[in-house]
């Protein structure tokens, strides 16, 4: 990529976000030199085609121009739409006008405040090209060409254009085949010449790519497509602009993904074929992340084999192949010969997919990668060289589970050093013939290889394991729900017991961005090696390093107002790392991963403590003779219901709650009148046999608990509990205890506890479950009868004040929470951890990045944080030592540096300085020094801690989220942990 | 005074004190005399359970959240894999953040003359010897020995241990003074000895905690 940009775009330098430790290198700015304005525009076009960097600075003899690397149009009206951000910057103005692109501004994140809104991924080359291809297809369809032929014709032309612009399909090559370029690449394209070219190409490149039915295509279709690719901007009623594309610059990997998406795009009225197959095309940042992680662990080198058992268009394989070539190039200092390139491919790269189109794209992409390294790429100077045949030697069109497939035969005895891929994420079907091999294999191996439900990805993991070599490693993209869903517990137990996982990246919080809206399923990457012959865990594998990036911390990729945005980079922030012991993972419990993502060891302790001390809700209710919790009615209109229904006479003339009107209601203690509606006579039916239990919890006195645990409402009236919502009930004499329970259920602790023990909440949904509520620790037995009455009185007060769904006063909410915390016996620190989690952390669910979290903290907030930090640290030392912590902070608009050292002065209070203050001179010097050493800490370590001169220095961003009381407690814990872990001086 | 205090050194001292406090807290919750004839593993199991209970109780100080206690954990030693890894009786380790985890290991031995649980065994290959020989890896030059006294008094046993260390200083690599009282927590019978490791691992400080179980 860089090499090409140096050769063709006058690239002089690149500013990147660089994390050597994790092999991460994200280009931010290309700095290029051009001899003219026209050349500058051409450079912009080429770099846009490369699709790698958000900003391009081009210096011309007269001035400097700033372009957006993700937007280009030759047609659009104004500069911005064309991707030109600053057209003319005189050299003497450059420092001022480009200050947001200085190294310092990039490092401190200011670049995104100034230019972030310009990094719109929808105008990137991949999305633009895909849209253009789909528009062109629509026009062909309008002109009578069927879908398959349209796909094949367009696909073929992308491919031809690519070969042409890369110089693979050179004039001399065409000439040798008796063809003229105008016969193919012009609006006068000739069908006979086109067919001949295809025949020749299929012969040369070992196989028909996008086979065409010659009879289906008319000259007008061909000429339309050829014309559009040559720059005709109108096609029928469409306005198309293919001129910006330079296929010699679009990375092969990008093209493969576009191809595959295009081929799988849905026909009108059809579901997406790719989606049906569970194929979510792996975004390149994710592919690169997986491969970087493997590379860090066991670098890919010659002699090692790579297998992708569900290779799709070959995104992983192409990158691996390229890496092998680049390593050879770096080692040998010369381009490998065609024969060597062929050997590198056939000896190392293997893939399987049952989708023939995908296999063809994978093969083509690999061959084109090979040709990328041959000069001239048309092979006219090396005519004896034959391109390798990959089909059924390296790329197998086969069902990975079919014991009679060509893959099964060819792979016998083969072992692989890298297992990579993104296996399909879907439930394999009982009735679908296409799934029969997987189904049979899974059914036959369920005991030894348990699978949650019929999840295909889990079956792939088991089936692929035996192919991993003894020293081999794996990096797989899997559905993140594998970690959380109850059905996969056995899978987790078995897998984490029999492999050595060393890293797990849980991308749940990026689910709206990672796949650019094509899929919203949460993803994870799991990295492991297989068990060695001793069945041993080595030291490095005792803990799994778990990483769960939050959208809010992806500084260079932070979402704007719209949540669905493309991902162009993926950065690991060390503050989002957690360790999970392998033995804990092997217990199969979903809570482990929930805590690893959202919680900390402190939350684990809080939950454990509550769990050890108090009975579960079901036991509490049973002991008090109250009705167990149950979900509400699924009311049915017998005229519309497809299921058998039964009439419930008691529902006549009763009320129900319309929960659809309670979307943004927050914590309420009484339902607004507008949501209480009569049950119509048609709705007095329920699914047969599903009436008794919902009825038992709908009778008063009862509590209706919201599925999302936003509220619990006590009622003395019959209200039909809605579906998915939960009801609890008792008799007339239980009113007080039910009211006390309502107070408890409305507390922050219950929200907190339910969040952590509900497998899908915060991962895929914003709901808890009935079983989570049943497991809720309930401390009300600690209350005396008088206490219960007091609590019931509080409930009445809340109901009165909250009548009609009104917001109740903070005073009452505080009283409610304080009562609950006191009853549970939580310390002040534990209370902070709980309150702030509910108030701040839970606002980040589903990748949300609310402004309140990102705004600057006030001085009071800083002061509170520092006070709590100091108290926590002092508590660790206790009163006996005579030592205390001195805590000083200095801040500007972007960051805060905190210095922590020891003192014997017990009265030493935390101090806050602004960066301008004279007294902050010493801290300012230290910060400058630290920033020099860790200039990109904001991206890679959002809570940087450095020890120097018997003090600890912390650098933190000036974002509210990092200055909560909870964070102060957690930071103190990390300071203690890290200080203890420091090597002896 | 400020600026020149070594944070790490003072924190590590706290780790040592906290481990002792946790032992004391757990021991207080035990019905010690009921273990007069129990095996060492049974006592250790119950002691660890009580230490954990103490950590979760309101009696525990705020610092307790920063620790984990493991019973019979396998230790990572170069060249030893899987089930062949050595196991120590009790491990105190800090929790809270990824990275290096300093830990304080305690090996436990019964002390009951009549059943052969002698000072020789306490200080022998499978007792103190585990630390001196390098069988158990230690993170910061410190480890501990727990003596479960099932006959006689703490003073009798501390005298015997002191004598053995003094008489056979070379065998145990003792650096004088051989065995000194060092009260680190509410427990009265806590002592300290210093040794040089046999595998060139520098000095090792051993904390001895004698607990009465009869």
């Amino acid at each position: 990529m860089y090499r090409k940009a140096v050769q063709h775009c006058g690239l002089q330098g690149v500013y990147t976000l660089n994390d050597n430790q994790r092999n991460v290198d994200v280009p931010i700015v290309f700095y290029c030199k051009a001899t003219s304005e026209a050349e500058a525009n051409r450079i912009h076009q080429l770099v846009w085609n490369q699709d790698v960097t958000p900003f391009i600075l081009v210096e011309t003899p007269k001035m400097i121009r700033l372009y957006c690397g993700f937007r280009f149009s030759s047609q659009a009206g104004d500069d911005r739409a064309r991707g030109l951000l600053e057209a003319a910057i005189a050299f003497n103005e450059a420092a001022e006008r480009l200050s947001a692109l200085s190294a310092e501004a990039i490092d401190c994140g200011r670049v995104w405040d100034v230019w972030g809104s310009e990094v719109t991924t929808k105008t990137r080359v991949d999305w633009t090209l895909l849209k253009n291809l789909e528009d062109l297809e629509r026009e062909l369809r309008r002109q009578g060409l069927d879908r398959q032929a349209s796909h094949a014709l367009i696909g073929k032309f992308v491919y031809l254009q690519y070969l042409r612009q890369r110089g693979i399909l050179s004039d001399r090559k065409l000439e040798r085949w008796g063809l003229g370029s105008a016969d193919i690449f012009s609006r006068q394209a000739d069908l006979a010449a086109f067919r001949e070219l295809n025949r020749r190409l299929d012969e040369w490149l070992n196989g028909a790519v996008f086979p065409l039915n010659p009879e289906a295509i008319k000259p007008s279709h061909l000429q339309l497509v050829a014309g559009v690719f040559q720059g005709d901007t109108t096609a029928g009623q469409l306005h198309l602009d293919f001129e910006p594309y330079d296929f010699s610059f679009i990375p092969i990997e990008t093209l493969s993904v576009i191809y595959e998406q295009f081929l799988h795009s849905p026909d009108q009225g059809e579901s997406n074929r790719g989606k049906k197959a569970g194929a979510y095309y792996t975004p390149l940042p994710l592919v690169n992340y997986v491969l970087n992680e493997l590379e860090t662990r066991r670098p890919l080198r010659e002699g090692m084999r790579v297998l992708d058992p569900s290779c799709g268009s070959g995104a992983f394989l192409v990158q691996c192949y390229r890496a092998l070539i680049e390593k050879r190039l770096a080692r040998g200092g010369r381009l490998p010969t065609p024969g060597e390139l062929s050997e590198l491919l056939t000896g190392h790269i293997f893939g399987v997919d049952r989708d023939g189109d995908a296999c063809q794209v994978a093969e083509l992409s690999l061959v084109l990668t090979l040709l990328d390294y041959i000069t001239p790429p048309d092979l006219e100077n090396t005519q004896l060289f034959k391109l390798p045949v990959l089909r059924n030697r390296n790329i197998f069109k086969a069902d990975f589970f079919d014991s009679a497939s060509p893959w099964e035969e060819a792979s016998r005895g083969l072992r692989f050093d890298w297992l990579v891929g993104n296996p399909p994420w879907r439930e394999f079907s009982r009735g679908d013939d296409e799934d029969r091999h997987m189904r049979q294999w899974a059914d036959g191996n369920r005991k030894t290889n348990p699978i949650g439900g019929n999840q295909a990805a889990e079956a792939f993991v088991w089936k692929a394991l035996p192919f991993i070599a003894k020293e081999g490693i794996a990096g797989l993209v899997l559905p993140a729900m594998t970690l959380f869903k109850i059905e996969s517990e056995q899978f987790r137990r078995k897998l984490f017991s029999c492999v050595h996982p060393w890293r797990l990246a849980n991308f749940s919080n990026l689910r709206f961005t990672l796949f650019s809206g094509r899929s919203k399923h949460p993803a994870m990457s799991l990295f492991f090696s297989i068990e060695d012959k001793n069945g041993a865990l080595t030291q490095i594998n005792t803990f799994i390093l778990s990483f769960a990036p939050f959208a809010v911390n992806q500084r260079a990729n932070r979402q704007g107002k719209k949540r669905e945005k493309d991902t162009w980079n993926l950065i690991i922030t060390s503050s989002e790392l957690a360790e999970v012991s392998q033995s804990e993972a092997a217990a199969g419990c979903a809570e482990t991963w929930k805590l690893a993502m959202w919680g900390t060891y402190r939350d684990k302790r809080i939950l454990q403590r509550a769990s050890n001390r108090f009975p579960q809700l079901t036991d509490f209710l049973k002991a008090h003779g109250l009705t167990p919790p149950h979900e509400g009615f699924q009311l049915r209109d017998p005229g519309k219901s497809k299921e058998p229904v039964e009439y419930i006479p008691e529902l006549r003339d009763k009320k129900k709650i319309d929960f659809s009107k309670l979307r943004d209601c927050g914590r309420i203690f009484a339902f607004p009148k507008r949501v209480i509606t009569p049950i119509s006579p048609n709705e007095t039916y329920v699914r047969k046999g599903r009436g008794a239990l919902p009825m038992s919890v709908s009778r008063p006195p009862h509590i209706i608990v919201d599925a999302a645990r936003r509220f619990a409402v006590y009622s003395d009236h019959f209200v039909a509990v809605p579906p998915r919502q939960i009801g609890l009930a008792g008799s007339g004499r239980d009113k007080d205890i039910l009211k006390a329970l309502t107070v408890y259920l409305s507390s922050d602790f219950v929200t907190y506890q339910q969040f952590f023990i509900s497998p899908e909440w915060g991962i895929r949904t914003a709901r808890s479950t009935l079983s989570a509520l049943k497991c809720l620790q309930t401390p009300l037995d600690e209350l005396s009868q008088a206490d219960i009455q007091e609590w019931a009185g509080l409930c009445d007060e809340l109901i009165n004040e909250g009548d009609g769904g009104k917001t109740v006063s903070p005073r009452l909410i505080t009283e409610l929470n304080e009562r609950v915390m006191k009853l549970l016996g939580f310390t002040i620190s534990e209370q902070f951890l709980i309150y702030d989690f509910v108030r701040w952390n839970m606002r980040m669910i589903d990748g949300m990045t609310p402004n309140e979290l990102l705004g600057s903290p006030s001085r009071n907030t800083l002061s509170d944080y520092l006070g709590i930090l100091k108290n926590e640290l002092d508590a660790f030392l206790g009163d006996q030592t005579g030592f205390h912590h001195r805590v000083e902070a200095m801040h500007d608009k972007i960051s805060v540096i905190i210095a922590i050292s020891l003192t014997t002065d017990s009265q030493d209070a935390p101090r806050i300085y602004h960066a301008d203050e004279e007294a902050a001179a010493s801290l300012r010097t230290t910060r400058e020094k630290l920033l020099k050493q860790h200039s990109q800490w904001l991206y890679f370590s959002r809570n940087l801690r450095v020890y120097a001169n018997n003090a600890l220095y912390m650098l933190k961003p000036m974002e509210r989220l990092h200055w909560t009381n909870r964070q102060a407690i957690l930071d103190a814990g990390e300071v203690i942990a890290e200080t203890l872990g420091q090597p002896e001086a | 005074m400020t600026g020149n205090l070594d944070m790490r050194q003072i924190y590590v001292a706290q780790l040592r004190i906290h481990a002792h406090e946790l032992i004391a807290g757990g021991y207080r919750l035990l019905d010690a005399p009921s273990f007069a004839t129990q095996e060492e593993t049974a006592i250790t199991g119950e002691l660890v359970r009580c230490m954990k209970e103490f950590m979760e109780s309101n009696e525990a100080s705020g610092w307790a959240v920063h620790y984990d206690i493991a019973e019979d954990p396998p230790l990572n030693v170069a060249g030893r894999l899987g089930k062949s890894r050595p196991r120590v009786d009790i491990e105190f380790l800090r929790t809270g953040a990824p990275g290096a985890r300093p830990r304080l290991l305690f090996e436990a031995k019964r002390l009951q003359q009549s059943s052969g649980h002698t000072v020789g065994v306490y200080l022998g290959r499978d007792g103190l010897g585990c630390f001196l020989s390098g069988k158990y890896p230690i993170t910061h030059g410190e480890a501990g020995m727990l003596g479960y006294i099932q006959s006689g008094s703490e003073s009798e046993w501390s005298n015997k241990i002191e004598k053995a260390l003094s008489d056979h200083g070379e065998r145990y690599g003792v650096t004088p003074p051989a065995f000194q009282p060092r009260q680190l927590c509410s427990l009265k019978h806590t002592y300290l000895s210093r040794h040089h490791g046999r595998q060139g691992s520098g000095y090792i400080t051993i904390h001895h905690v004698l607990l009465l179980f009869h």
Side-chain angles (χ1 to χ4, degrees), chain A residues 469-532:
Chain A
K470 189 170 162 269
E471 306 282 317
I473 54 174
L476 297 173
V477 179
L478 298 169
M481 287 313 294
T482 305
L483 297 176
F484 302 100
K485 62 180 187 172
I486 294 160
E487 304 94 292
S488 292
E489 186 175 326
Q490 290 303 324
F491 173 82
R492 294 191 290 270
R493 278 187 185 194
K494 185 72 195 280
L495 184 73
F496 290 124
S497 308
C498 74
V499 300
H500 291 177
W502 79 84
R503 172 69 76 117
L504 191 146
N506 170 6
F507 298 108
S508 303
N509 199 251
L510 304 181
R511 74 186 178 106
F512 287 97
T513 51
L514 196 59
F515 291 90
S516 318
R518 296 189 294 269
S519 161
K520 289 171 187 163
H521 292 292
M524 68 151 167
S525 298
L526 177 64
F527 301 90
F528 59 87
S529 53
I530 60 158
E531 204 166 70
D532 65 30

Side-chain angles (χ1 to χ4, degrees), chain A residues 13 56 80 134 192 225-226 241 297 321 325 373 376 378 386 388 408 430 508 846 859 873 877 890 938 942 958:
Chain A
I56 313 156
R80 282 281 156 114
E134 285 169 351
V225 176
D241 184 10
R297 179 74 167 197
Y321 180 42
I325 299 172
Y373 290 87
D378 62 3
K386 291 280 173 217
E408 188 74 13
R430 289 265 139 214
S508 303
D846 275 347
R859 203 176 168 93
L873 294 174
L877 295 185
M890 185 201 81
L938 200 62
R942 292 176 75 75
M958 272 292 269

Side-chain angles (χ1 to χ4, degrees), chain A residues 31 61 269 804 907 918:
Chain A
Y31 177 66
Q907 302 303 312
E918 197 59 34

Side-chain angles (χ1 to χ4, degrees), chain A residues 574-575 577 601 873 876 941 943-947 952-954 970-984, chain B residues 7-8 11-12 66 94-102:
Chain A
S574 59
S575 56
L577 294 173
Y601 72 106
L873 294 174
F876 180 74
S941 176
N943 268 326
L944 180 71
R945 283 182 287 272
V946 178
Y947 290 82
L952 165 65
Y953 296 95
M954 293 168 72
L970 299 178
D971 286 348
E974 294 197 2
V975 167
I976 292 166
E978 280 188 12
T979 307
L980 280 170
Q982 287 297 301
E984 207 163 351
Chain B
M7 271 177 82
R8 180 196 170 273
Y11 277 37
V12 168
H66 301 293
R94 72 101 182 124
T95 179
R101 282 181 159 69

Side-chain angles (χ1 to χ4, degrees), chain A residues 459-724:
Chain A
F460 264 87
V461 172
W462 290 130
K463 178 71 175 147
L465 278 189
F467 288 105
I468 305 177
K470 189 170 162 269
E471 306 282 317
I473 54 174
L476 297 173
V477 179
L478 298 169
M481 287 313 294
T482 305
L483 297 176
F484 302 100
K485 62 180 187 172
I486 294 160
E487 304 94 292
S488 292
E489 186 175 326
Q490 290 303 324
F491 173 82
R492 294 191 290 270
R493 278 187 185 194
K494 185 72 195 280
L495 184 73
F496 290 124
S497 308
C498 74
V499 300
H500 291 177
W502 79 84
R503 172 69 76 117
L504 191 146
N506 170 6
F507 298 108
S508 303
N509 199 251
L510 304 181
R511 74 186 178 106
F512 287 97
T513 51
L514 196 59
F515 291 90
S516 318
R518 296 189 294 269
S519 161
K520 289 171 187 163
H521 292 292
M524 68 151 167
S525 298
L526 177 64
F527 301 90
F528 59 87
S529 53
I530 60 158
E531 204 166 70
D532 65 30
K533 64 180 180 183
N534 295 318
L537 299 175
T538 52
Q539 185 167 10
I540 204 156
N541 284 322
T542 306
F543 286 94
I544 305 166
L545 207 51
S546 164
F547 159 60
F550 278 78
V552 80
N553 284 335
Q554 292 285 309
R555 189 65 184 93
N557 199 30
R558 208 177 254 167
Q559 298 149 335
K561 283 179 187 163
K562 278 185 78 180
R563 188 161 48 182
E564 283 175 26
K565 210 174 170 186
D566 205 350
T567 314
W568 64 276
N569 70 74
L570 202 52
I571 285 176
I572 299 176
T573 307
S574 59
S575 56
E576 290 171 328
L577 294 173
E579 283 180 340
V580 172
S581 77
Q582 187 169 358
S583 58
E584 221 177 320
C589 183
E591 208 178 304
T592 302
W593 297 107
K594 196 71 179 286
L595 279 162
M597 176 178 176
W598 282 97
T600 65
Y601 72 106
R602 298 293 301 259
D603 299 301
K604 188 177 167 188
R605 283 274 164 90
I606 289 173
L607 295 169
Q608 249 172 14
R609 227 175 122 202
S611 165
N612 290 346
R613 296 172 68 185
F614 304 110
Q616 295 190 348
L617 180 67
T618 9
D619 298 327
F620 172 82
L621 295 174
K622 200 173 168 188
H624 290 268
L626 300 166
T627 311
H630 202 272
E631 288 187 358
F633 288 109
Q634 297 189 17
L635 300 177
R636 294 283 190 271
D637 180 340
K640 293 177 188 165
S641 177
K642 290 175 187 162
E643 304 143 321
V645 295
E646 71 175 298
Y647 175 55
I648 309 284
E650 200 181 334
L651 287 176
R652 269 189 82 110
D653 304 324
K654 295 289 195 317
K655 305 281 189 199
K656 64 172 185 176
I657 304 294
D658 184 352
F659 260 67
S660 66
K661 292 178 181 163
L662 285 171
R663 270 198 194 115
D664 299 313
C665 71
R667 182 155 30 189
I668 53 171
F669 294 91
F671 291 114
K673 291 203 170 46
R674 64 191 167 82
V675 307
I676 306 170
T677 57
I679 296 172
S680 71
N682 283 348
E683 289 176 320
T684 49
Y685 295 81
V686 297
R687 281 178 65 191
K688 203 172 167 69
R690 304 284 174 92
L693 290 170
M695 180 59 79
S696 70
V697 294
S698 295
R699 292 189 189 115
H702 64 154
I703 309 169
I704 297 174
V705 184
D706 174 41
R709 301 296 185 268
R710 292 169 299 171
F711 56 80
V713 171
Y714 171 86
S715 173
D716 277 328
H717 304 284
F718 185 102
V719 179
V721 179
R724 289 191 300 279

Side-chain angles (χ1 to χ4, degrees), chain A residues 46-187:
Chain A
L46 295 180
V47 176
W48 173 73
N49 274 277
Q50 278 199 320
D51 196 30
V52 287
T53 187
F55 303 107
I56 313 156
L57 275 173
V58 185
E59 182 189 327
T60 67
K62 288 182 186 166
M63 54 193 68
I64 294 171
R65 292 160 83 92
L66 170 63
Y67 295 97
C68 172
F70 291 159
R71 192 188 317 141
F72 175 82
S73 170
S74 53
Q75 307 273 317
D78 62 25
D79 283 354
R80 282 281 156 114
R82 289 205 304 273
L84 183 56
L85 303 177
E86 291 271 9
I89 306 165
F91 293 111
N92 59 352
E93 295 173 337
E96 190 187 333
R97 287 176 61 185
L98 294 173
S99 64
L101 280 173
S102 66
E104 191 197 347
I106 293 171
D107 292 347
C108 76
R110 193 158 58 84
V111 62
W112 311 113
D113 299 332
V114 178
W115 294 111
S117 60
E118 302 293 340
V119 188
T120 51
T121 49
K122 291 289 174 205
T123 51
R124 284 172 67 172
V125 70
D126 50 353
W127 282 102
T128 317
L129 178 57
L130 183 64
K131 185 179 176 306
N132 282 165
L133 296 179
E134 285 169 351
D135 286 346
L136 182 57
E137 187 207 354
R138 209 165 300 129
E139 180 58 23
L140 283 172
R141 301 286 301 277
R142 205 183 62 79
Q143 294 191 14
L145 196 60
D146 69 34
R147 180 171 183 265
Q148 200 182 354
S150 305
H151 269 166
L153 181 59
I154 296 171
K156 182 74 87 179
F157 247 91
V158 171
Y159 162 53
L160 292 178
Q161 198 71 13
Y162 181 89
L163 297 179
R164 179 77 181 153
Q165 291 186 339
R166 293 240 167 179
I168 296 166
L169 210 51
S170 60
D171 281 345
R172 61 178 178 167
K173 183 134 220 134
L174 289 174
E175 208 174 300
R176 205 161 59 77
W177 288 346
L179 297 165
S181 69
D183 297 337
I184 317 291
F185 301 105
S186 79
R187 54 193 64 89

